[in-house]
Amino acid sequence: MSTKVPNIKLKIDPRNLQIQTFAVEKLLEPLIIQVTTLVNCPQNPSGKKKGRSKRARVLLASVEEATWNLLDKGEKIAKEAVVFKEELHAALADVRKESQALQVAAEAFTSDPCSLARRQAVVPAARALLAAVTRLLVLADMVDVAYLLQHLSVFQRTFESLRNVSSKSDLQKTYQKFQKDLENLDYLAYKRQQ
């Protein structure tokens, strides 16, 4: 396979995405549940301070862990990517920044869980983190699709050369390459479905 980098232009603005796909929704669901559990509260919380909220700290830790796991996988994808490298690194930096902002807002909230103002300050930070994570997932998906398209074009070239062989030995060699490319494409399509 050639190592030629496909010439793909990003036709969307990754900073302004409205994502409504089932796959992205399923990937984000655990993070969304943790964040919404962290910020949901009655409109008039009790004025009595009963100590610091342990549940909010546990939720904050799980959001941070999920974010760091995502960043780790995103960095691996960015290292291996041949397209959208700059966009991936920018999205990773954005996720880091929004994660830190959420951490600061959530720590202020967990120090005083009865404060409605502090609780409400967590909501925009959580939404910004979810938007940054969504942009990162979309870019990673676009890298995956570009890689799959690159393999598809290799397969198509092999198929065309199979149609134009002139001798039996050329036919055998080309058919073996065709079979190998088909198996590779089938494997990549299977991985994508998973």
Side-chain angles (χ1 to χ4, degrees):
M1 187 180 91
S2 73
T3 58
K4 181 183 167 191
V5 177
N7 186 13
I8 299 174
K9 299 278 187 204
L10 188 62
K11 295 181 182 178
I12 60 170
D13 179 11
R15 296 202 156 276
N16 185 20
L17 294 177
Q18 295 294 323
I19 304 303
Q20 296 179 351
T21 64
F22 184 71
V24 171
E25 197 174 304
K26 280 296 176 191
L27 288 170
L28 291 175
E29 188 173 14
L31 187 58
I32 292 170
I33 289 170
Q34 293 164 353
V35 168
T36 54
T37 303
L38 178 67
V39 297
N40 282 342
C41 73
Q43 286 299 318
N44 298 316
S46 169
K48 298 179 185 176
K49 291 192 177 186
K50 300 175 185 169
R52 295 174 185 221
S53 175
K54 291 178 185 165
R55 177 127 171 94
R57 289 194 185 280
V58 170
L59 287 169
L60 177 60
S62 64
V63 168
E64 288 175 9
E65 182 182 347
T67 304
W68 291 120
N69 288 338
L70 182 76
L71 283 168
D72 184 46
K73 290 178 184 174
E75 287 170 357
K76 288 176 184 175
I77 290 169
K79 284 180 186 175
E80 297 172 2
V82 292
V83 292
F84 305 131
K85 256 191 182 317
E86 298 84 22
E87 290 89 349
L88 279 169
H89 287 293
L92 284 166
D94 196 29
V95 170
R96 276 189 207 94
K97 181 185 82 160
E98 298 302 341
S99 174
Q100 289 171 350
L102 176 63
Q103 184 178 6
V104 168
E107 283 176 358
F109 160 67
T110 56
S111 68
D112 185 13
C114 297
S115 169
L116 187 60
R118 287 186 180 182
R119 187 179 296 257
Q120 289 174 340
V122 173
V123 175
R127 285 186 182 146
L129 176 61
L130 290 174
V133 166
T134 302
R135 284 191 295 275
L136 179 61
L137 288 173
V138 168
L139 284 168
D141 187 57
M142 291 171 70
V143 167
D144 190 40
V145 168
Y147 188 63
L148 193 57
L149 288 173
Q150 182 182 12
H151 280 78
L152 179 62
S153 67
V154 168
F155 172 76
Q156 287 173 330
R157 284 194 301 271
T158 305
F159 180 72
E160 287 300 318
S161 66
L162 185 64
R163 294 172 70 194
N164 300 326
V165 294
S166 58
S167 69
K168 188 173 183 179
S169 64
D170 286 345
L171 178 64
Q172 287 177 329
K173 288 177 188 176
T174 308
Y175 184 74
Q176 286 174 347
K177 183 172 178 359
F178 174 78
Q179 192 173 16
K180 182 182 171 190
D181 289 345
L182 181 61
E183 287 172 0
N184 189 20
L185 189 62
D186 186 47
Y187 173 72
L188 290 172
Y190 169 76
K191 272 181 55 178
R192 174 130 175 96
Q193 287 177 337
Q194 296 302 315

